[in-house]
Amino acid sequence: MEDIGARILAGDHQVQYGQNQRTKIKALVVDDNMINQALHRTLLRNLGIENHVVGNGREAVDVHCSGRRFDLILMDLDMPVMNGIEATKKLRAMGIQSTIAGVSSRSVDENIQEFWEAGLDDYQQKPLNFPKLVSILQKVNHSV
Amino acid sequence: MLGLGADRLRADMNRLLALLFHQGVLDEQFLQLQQLQDESSPNFVSEVVNIYFHESEKLLRNLRGLLMEKEFADYKKMGIHLNQFMGSSSSIGAKRVRNVCVAFRAASEQTNRAGCLRALELLEHEYCYLKNKLHELFQIEQQRALAAGVRYPMQN
């Protein structure tokens, strides 16, 4: 089986992560910052991953209430209306089993324990880049 | 001749980028942005950077507005603006601006108004320098693309 992660880490940014799967991976970007939205959206698109963007935790919950499902959720921590911790707790309480990766500017040394305990599968410090995204994708269980 | 013009402009771009990296103005995250630019999004870097300029100027106005208030005490709001500014700056590789935001946030957490004012002056200075240099970079890139574009049709 092709090691897509190794190709990306070697600098091959034209790899389409979705092409070797029967159906494309779907991702949800949850971030209030427009620059991070653009960055995460483009990182995912360049890997062939279909993606949707929302601006806070409340919108992330609402999009799931409307029936949509995602393989991967990139969840920012500090957001207005509803932050990443509350949104993650709510999604898990709703039975959402998608891979949720916390993506925040806080380092792993700072107190992100509460974020983990809300139900994360992974955590990466911003800014996100290809190697960090590949590391997250290796945890995705493509069953949605 | 036109080909030489494009090559010379590319060399100018690389020299400017090297200077900005050497000065610590930019870090490797800026290279990550460049790697995301391709045929499907040929202006990705300038588009993202323009969003950054727009957002940053709004944040700088907000920060100055807060500190100029006679009875200013909302350090929590200041912290929120600074977190936004830090996050955006990290995402485009604006290392020096981000570092000034860190110092500014420390002054804010100590409710040190004088320290915050000094940090704001420095932040405005660093941001201005970054903006000027990135505009210069994009101008050279536009000229290079024009020079290269004029050359290629003649080769067909």
Side-chain angles (χ1 to χ4, degrees), chain A residues 1 21-22 28 32 57-58 60 62 75 86 89 102 119-120:
Chain A
M1 189 169 156
Q21 315 279 341
R22 252 186 240 132
L28 176 68
D32 62 320
R58 166 51 60 197
D62 289 346
M75 182 74 77
E86 288 172 60
K89 280 183 186 168
L120 294 183

Side-chain angles (χ1 to χ4, degrees), chain A:
Chain A
M1 189 169 156
E2 187 180 25
D3 190 344
I4 294 169
R7 281 177 60 192
I8 292 173
L9 291 170
D12 183 355
H13 294 152
Q14 300 306 312
V15 168
Q16 293 290 297
Y17 208 91
Q19 277 180 355
N20 289 334
Q21 315 279 341
R22 252 186 240 132
T23 57
K24 267 191 170 180
I25 288 179
K26 295 186 179 72
L28 176 68
V29 173
V30 189
D31 202 310
D32 62 320
N33 184 296
M34 286 176 67
I35 290 143
N36 290 326
Q37 287 179 3
L39 178 62
H40 298 173
R41 196 174 50 224
T42 307
L43 278 166
L44 289 163
R45 191 201 63 214
N46 282 17
L47 289 174
I49 294 170
E50 200 178 302
N51 61 89
H52 184 71
V53 177
V54 294
N56 61 59
R58 166 51 60 197
E59 290 176 14
V61 170
D62 289 346
V63 82
H64 282 86
C65 287
S66 74
R68 290 187 71 172
R69 293 293 180 266
F70 304 90
D71 299 283
L72 169 66
I73 300 170
L74 296 178
M75 182 74 77
D76 185 22
L77 174 50
D78 298 303
M79 293 179 285
V81 184
M82 185 186 287
N83 67 27
I85 292 172
E86 288 172 60
T88 303
K89 280 183 186 168
K90 276 214 158 40
L91 290 172
R92 292 305 190 206
M94 285 164 63
I96 301 300
Q97 295 179 329
S98 312
T99 301
I100 303 180
V103 185
S104 166
S105 51
R106 296 196 202 178
S107 72
V108 290
D109 298 328
E110 291 178 74
N111 191 8
I112 54 163
Q113 189 59 29
E114 197 184 350
F115 203 4
W116 272 109
E117 286 170 0
L120 294 183
D121 297 293
D122 196 3
Y123 179 86
Q124 291 288 345
Q125 190 180 2
K126 284 179 185 171
L128 207 57
N129 52 35
F130 274 120
K132 287 181 185 178
L133 183 54
V134 164
S135 170
I136 290 170
L137 286 166
Q138 283 166 354
K139 305 221 166 128
V140 171
N141 176 15
H142 183 41
S143 55
V144 171

Side-chain angles (χ1 to χ4, degrees), chain A residues 13-14 32-36 38-40 42-43 45-46 78 80 105 110 125-131, chain B residues 29 32-33 35-41 44 48 51-52 55 83-84 86-88 90-92 98 105:
Chain A
H13 294 152
Q14 300 306 312
D32 62 320
N33 184 296
M34 286 176 67
I35 290 143
N36 290 326
L39 178 62
H40 298 173
T42 307
L43 278 166
R45 191 201 63 214
N46 282 17
D78 298 303
S105 51
E110 291 178 74
Q125 190 180 2
K126 284 179 185 171
L128 207 57
N129 52 35
F130 274 120
Chain B
Q29 181 64 16
Q32 290 283 327
L33 287 192
Q35 285 173 354
L36 289 173
Q37 188 159 289
D38 58 19
E39 297 82 28
S40 62
S41 50
F44 176 72
V48 168
I51 297 173
Y52 173 74
E55 293 295 308
N83 282 340
Q84 280 279 340
M86 275 172 59
S88 301
S90 290
S91 292
I92 70 148
R98 184 198 174 270
R105 191 174 64 174

Side-chain angles (χ1 to χ4, degrees), chain B residues 72-154:
Chain B
F72 166 69
D74 201 345
Y75 286 98
K76 186 179 173 190
K77 199 170 194 175
M78 179 168 286
I80 292 171
H81 290 324
L82 285 169
N83 282 340
Q84 280 279 340
F85 210 155
M86 275 172 59
S88 301
S89 301
S90 290
S91 292
I92 70 148
K95 186 175 162 188
R96 267 195 352 209
V97 169
R98 184 198 174 270
N99 289 345
V100 175
C101 287
V102 171
F104 195 155
R105 191 174 64 174
S108 170
E109 284 164 358
Q110 289 158 18
T111 64
N112 176 354
R113 190 171 178 174
C116 286
L117 273 164
R118 280 194 297 273
L120 177 61
E121 300 276 340
L122 184 56
L123 186 57
E124 285 168 340
H125 171 81
E126 286 295 340
Y127 170 75
C128 211
Y129 183 76
L130 172 74
K131 186 174 178 181
N132 286 341
K133 288 300 168 190
L134 287 178
H135 269 148
E136 197 181 320
L137 190 72
F138 294 144
Q139 250 176 351
I140 300 172
E141 165 62 25
Q142 271 178 347
Q143 287 164 3
R144 188 204 63 80
L146 200 62
V150 170
R151 173 185 166 211
Y152 288 140
M154 286 169 70

